Amino acid sequence: MVDTDADAFDFDFGRRSLLAALAGAGTASLAGCPASNGGGGGGDGGEDPTPTTTADPETASRLAERFAPTFAFDTAEQWLPTDPRPYTSERDGRTVVDGFDALNGYTSRHDEAGDPPEPTVFYHVVEYADSPLAVVQFWYYFAFDQFTTNFHWHDWEVLHVFVDTGTDDPQLFVASSHSERVPNNEHLDPDPDRVPRVLSELGSHSSALSLNDRRNSFQRLPLDTLPADITNRALDAVEQLADLPAAYGLPRDEGLRLPYVVPELDGTPVHEHPDLPAVDRDALVPRPLTVRSFDALSSPPTDLPSRETGLVFAPTNEDDGDVTYDLVPTRDLETIDEFTGPRLSFEFAVPELAEDAIAGHITTAGTPWNQQRYNDPVADITEPAHRSELSDRYDAVSPPGPINDLVATVSETVRSPVAPDDEGVETTDASVEAVTLLQSDPVAAPTFRGVAMLRGVEAGDHRLTVNGAGVAPHTEPVTVGGGETEAATDTATTTTTVTAAADADGTNAVTLAGVEGEIPLVPAGEATKLEVDADGTDADLSTLAVDDDFGGRLYEASVDGPDAVYIHRGGAYTAEVRDVDDAVGAFRVNPSGTDPVRIDRPRTGTASLASFVETLVAETTDRLGEVGDDDDDDDDADEGGDDDDTTGGGGTTQTFGGLLRALEAVSGAAGRAADRAEAGDRGGSDRALSALASNLDRAIERFDGLRETLPADRAAATDRQLREAQRRTNQATAAKKL
């Protein structure tokens, strides 16, 4: 049964403040910069690191000066590369950089000087054993990271420059993005005569590359004579992404928006904390770019400023910078044991069952020199094609192993302009970026150009949550690396929840989340929760799907126990359930208001499907009756007449009345089929279904003859509803289960 006045369902999809105390705890991974363990693009994730040695100081200094990059920052950027050593302290015999000391100290020094304090970039150079391959790493430290999620004290970013010491030519640039799950921005065989340039993302400091003549913008694809800034390949296995290189890029420079959020500590905005006297609201990302919280908005924000380039940092041998930075070897920092700070909170609406995963969310940056990639930079290559190419050139680089990508495009659900009011939706491109989270990997990852992509996901069962500013959260279970889910029977709809495929070279196994790789999000102010609870029934449900009359399939995923999904109040829906025996059930859902719509004790089989047809056709009849009521109030002319399609005295109205009566006959036959199926009367149910199919054919024939006389939106809705009734009638007839 469908209950539109149900009490609140115990799923707690509302705002959840994820706050825990973790004073003095660092971590091996970085939120703003991936601490790869080799799972991104290389090896099998379990192999021993390739042996390297640290280059001698003279060689290291020469290579660092040769490839020292310039950095272009957003005009709204508050934290710039600096030296963390002024903020060190001793704690229990260990040298640490405390988050309070760094943020407060940096802010105070910046305010006093009026310029970025101690502008510094650190370098580290390693050489691979028995190989001409060397890597120059440029590490840059920021006192704080404020983003749309994943706030943390401290931030380390890195640019790897792979160099052939025999030719002194660069082979590959790898610029770090948000986490090891987000593909880095990489460029194979860059111009050896061009100084690498990094475009730093506001607040998070994720690094994009700018290597062509458009120095202050990121270019994902070639344009006329301008080459692209990255050479990451597209996902061949995903048709809708076949032309989109898989790299994080720089979303605010590519036409999409990212709303920022103010982090909290102990329930208070961080800038109000008493241990940060130098930090006020103006020390954070400016107000026009921030929102109070994701769920404080009823719809995605539309007035966020675009990216603009501000200060440019350059080394001493470059003259195009606003600020000259010092180039310092990282060995001068290796006495620092830890970067610490208490856990900050960010608000992320997720199912309650994922809370334990979030409780482990990282909040401070680790020390670079304790990470595998510090001594084996190949581990940080996230594009398998790039690692494969280096493997062909250098024996020291092992070829890439197979990896799993979890991918979906994120769209926005809106009212359909061709549907009657509150009877249809459609999907459109997302206007702001969203944030994704795997229960098994509690570091949230932002989308890029509306693409959710998580690289290097462990094979097995996971739960994916997608959230964003002004939208209701989406969550679904996904199985990664398990191949294609079997298709349904010939009379049922497809129930594939994920599709696995391999890229052309077989290195990437791609799993699509959502419906054929699309996850539509609903504006929060238009969202109603649809809940399905099979407790008290014999049905062992395996799949839940939701179709809108105009928008088609909007949700499809496996289900194990109670489930819920947010739907747009402007739609008219069919909720489909499927059980472990592949029996199908269907339920009509017409949301109104904000109260959840609950399907209690959902059934599968003939009775469910016939009952659905009865409800749907009755709804269709009522809607058409409203149209008839508006036609000069002359429906009564048809009450005692015959049922043919003549246009005598009653004209069109007489024919319209025949359609209404034909639809009533459909509803009656569907109701009888449902009743007899409920009673276990297979023969009676089959006879009623046969009458239902015949009546429905006649009704569709009458409707086709009247289509042009109806309002266009009503004709479109009626056509979809009658075709849906016909499809579900066929399913009911073919069903083995009553």
Side-chain angles (χ1 to χ4, degrees):
M1 61 177 293
V2 179
D3 181 3
T4 59
D5 296 313
D7 293 333
F9 201 52
D10 187 20
F11 261 81
D12 194 9
F13 275 96
R15 187 175 71 182
R16 186 176 300 280
S17 181
L18 305 172
L19 178 64
L22 193 66
T27 178
S29 61
L30 306 172
C33 180
S36 176
N37 60 5
D44 58 10
E47 63 186 22
D48 294 331
T50 305
T52 61
T53 57
T54 301
D56 65 80
E58 182 179 350
T59 299
S61 177
R62 178 183 66 81
L63 288 174
E65 291 176 0
R66 159 94 163 80
F67 294 104
T70 59
F71 299 86
F73 295 95
D74 196 290
T75 186
E77 183 59 65
Q78 301 295 311
W79 305 283
L80 297 158
T82 192
D83 190 335
R85 288 174 292 181
Y87 314 117
T88 57
S89 59
E90 298 299 314
R91 182 181 297 168
D92 299 326
R94 293 163 57 84
T95 301
V96 303
V97 179
D98 178 78
F100 286 105
D101 293 342
L103 177 56
N104 197 72
Y106 178 90
T107 304
S108 178
R109 287 170 179 247
H110 189 283
D111 290 347
E112 291 173 1
D115 293 310
E118 292 87 27
T120 310
V121 173
F122 299 90
Y123 67 89
H124 177 60
V125 180
V126 297
E127 298 171 323
Y128 280 86
D130 302 318
S131 174
L133 182 64
V135 183
V136 190
Q137 299 178 335
F138 296 98
W139 292 89
Y140 25 112
Y141 168 82
F142 305 85
F144 197 72
D145 181 304
Q146 180 187 353
F147 190 50
T148 189
T149 188
N150 291 343
F151 315 123
H152 52 102
W153 311 94
H154 321 289
D155 191 19
W156 280 105
E157 302 292 336
V158 64
L159 170 68
H160 304 282
V161 178
F162 291 76
V163 182
D164 188 309
T165 56
T167 63
D168 214 29
D169 287 341
Q171 306 297 301
L172 177 69
F173 293 161
V174 176
S176 60
S177 59
H178 284 275
S179 77
E180 64 181 7
R181 294 287 179 248
V182 180
N184 289 325
N185 298 304
E186 304 178 9
H187 194 106
L188 185 69
D189 293 328
D191 183 347
D193 296 325
R194 187 179 288 270
V195 173
R197 188 177 183 92
V198 171
L199 305 180
S200 180
E201 183 174 47
L202 172 64
S204 80
H205 314 120
S206 175
S207 298
L209 294 169
S210 179
L211 303 177
N212 59 29
D213 290 335
R214 296 176 58 187
R215 302 292 280 159
N216 289 323
S217 67
F218 172 75
Q219 191 170 315
R220 186 178 295 269
L221 296 167
L223 179 64
D224 297 329
T225 60
L226 288 173
D229 288 321
I230 55 174
T231 56
N232 299 58
R233 65 180 177 176
L235 293 175
D236 296 335
V238 185
E239 182 177 356
Q240 60 267 47
L241 302 179
D243 297 324
L244 183 71
Y248 178 67
L250 191 60
R252 290 186 63 240
D253 198 48
E254 298 182 76
L256 287 173
R257 301 290 184 263
L258 277 168
Y260 289 72
V261 182
V262 176
E264 293 185 354
L265 181 62
D266 300 328
T268 302
V270 66
H271 60 276
E272 297 179 6
H273 198 279
D275 291 341
L276 296 170
V279 179
D280 57 18
R281 179 61 186 83
D282 291 338
L284 303 179
V285 172
R287 288 178 177 83
L289 284 159
T290 59
V291 298
R292 173 63 187 85
S293 64
F294 278 4
D295 72 340
L297 303 176
S298 61
S299 61
T302 59
D303 56 351
L304 298 172
S306 301
R307 176 186 174 274
E308 295 182 26
T309 298
L311 291 178
V312 174
F313 274 38
T316 54
N317 59 349
E318 291 289 330
D319 57 6
D320 66 343
D322 304 301
V323 176
T324 299
Y325 65 77
D326 293 330
L327 198 57
V328 178
T330 57
R331 66 174 180 270
D332 293 357
L333 295 177
E334 292 181 7
T335 56
I336 298 175
D337 296 298
E338 198 169 17
F339 294 82
T340 68
R343 183 171 299 278
L344 299 168
S345 68
F346 73 99
E347 294 171 338
F348 197 99
V350 295
E352 187 171 333
L353 58 88
E355 187 169 4
D356 289 343
I358 303 299
H361 180 74
I362 62 178
T363 86
T364 67
T367 52
W369 37 96
N370 291 333
Q371 300 170 25
Q372 177 185 341
R373 61 181 174 166
Y374 187 70
N375 293 313
D376 183 18
V378 166
D380 220 18
I381 301 174
T382 59
E383 173 50 69
H386 292 161
R387 178 158 180 163
S388 180
E389 181 63 29
L390 288 189
S391 175
D392 289 343
R393 299 178 188 181
Y394 305 101
D395 292 339
V397 179
S398 60
I403 59 174
N404 295 316
D405 289 337
L406 179 60
V407 180
T409 58
V410 177
S411 59
E412 184 178 338
T413 307
V414 298
R415 296 173 186 268
S416 171
V418 298
D421 290 345
D422 296 329
E423 292 188 52
V425 298
E426 63 182 20
T427 60
T428 187
D429 292 341
S431 58
V432 297
E433 299 289 4
V435 181
T436 62
L437 184 72
L438 278 183
Q439 175 188 353
S440 56
D441 184 17
V443 178
T447 61
F448 55 89
R449 292 187 62 143
V451 176
M453 180 176 182
L454 300 174
R455 172 149 287 178
V457 178
E458 183 179 353
D461 295 333
H462 301 267
R463 178 165 287 272
L464 174 69
T465 298
V466 184
N467 201 355
V471 296
H474 168 99
T475 186
E476 65 175 82
V478 292
T479 299
V480 174
E484 291 193 357
T485 304
E486 292 185 2
T489 59
D490 56 354
T491 56
T493 56
T494 301
T495 60
T496 305
T497 54
V498 295
T499 302
D503 268 0
D505 61 6
T507 56
N508 289 54
V510 180
T511 297
L512 299 184
V515 178
E516 298 182 351
E518 180 181 5
I519 296 177
L521 299 180
V522 182
E526 299 273 15
T528 293
K529 187 160 58 176
L530 170 63
E531 302 159 348
V532 178
D533 186 2
D535 288 347
T537 70
D538 295 332
D540 188 2
L541 301 184
S542 61
T543 305
L544 169 65
V546 179
D547 299 321
D548 175 74
D549 288 355
F550 284 78
R553 183 142 296 184
L554 301 174
Y555 178 85
E556 183 177 18
S558 60
V559 60
D560 182 13
D563 202 359
V565 58
Y566 281 96
I567 56 177
H568 195 291
R569 285 199 292 276
Y573 303 94
T574 297
E576 177 190 277
V577 296
R578 191 177 294 270
D579 64 25
V580 293
D581 296 321
D582 209 27
V584 180
F587 307 87
R588 189 62 173 169
V589 177
N590 290 290
S592 61
T594 59
D595 290 335
V597 178
R598 183 186 304 174
I599 302 174
D600 280 323
R601 300 180 296 280
R603 303 167 299 170
T604 56
T606 297
S608 171
L609 293 164
S611 179
F612 167 81
V613 173
E614 178 185 20
T615 300
L616 175 61
V617 175
E619 174 190 327
T620 305
T621 306
D622 290 342
R623 300 290 193 185
L624 285 171
E626 294 171 3
V627 174
D629 289 342
D630 294 335
D631 283 347
D632 301 325
D633 296 322
D634 57 357
D635 279 345
D636 289 342
D638 195 43
E639 286 299 318
D642 62 25
D643 204 23
D644 63 21
D645 285 345
T646 62
T647 58
T652 300
T653 303
Q654 184 178 8
T655 308
F656 186 78
L659 171 60
L660 296 182
R661 284 194 299 278
L663 292 173
E664 290 168 357
V666 171
S667 294
R672 288 190 295 274
D675 291 342
R676 290 166 186 173
E678 285 278 11
D681 180 0
R682 168 72 68 177
S685 174
D686 287 347
R687 288 189 294 273
L689 286 172
S690 178
L692 167 60
S694 297
N695 291 343
L696 189 53
D697 286 343
R698 284 194 293 270
I700 291 174
E701 183 179 356
R702 288 182 178 274
F703 165 71
D704 287 341
L706 277 172
R707 183 192 303 266
E708 299 303 321
T709 69
L710 295 172
D713 58 353
R714 178 54 53 203
T718 301
D719 179 72
R720 287 163 169 80
Q721 290 161 7
L722 293 181
R723 306 301 170 184
E724 177 71 2
Q726 195 170 51
R727 186 163 67 94
R728 299 299 178 178
T729 298
N730 292 339
Q731 287 182 333
T733 302
K736 297 178 181 179
K737 179 180 179 181
L738 286 176

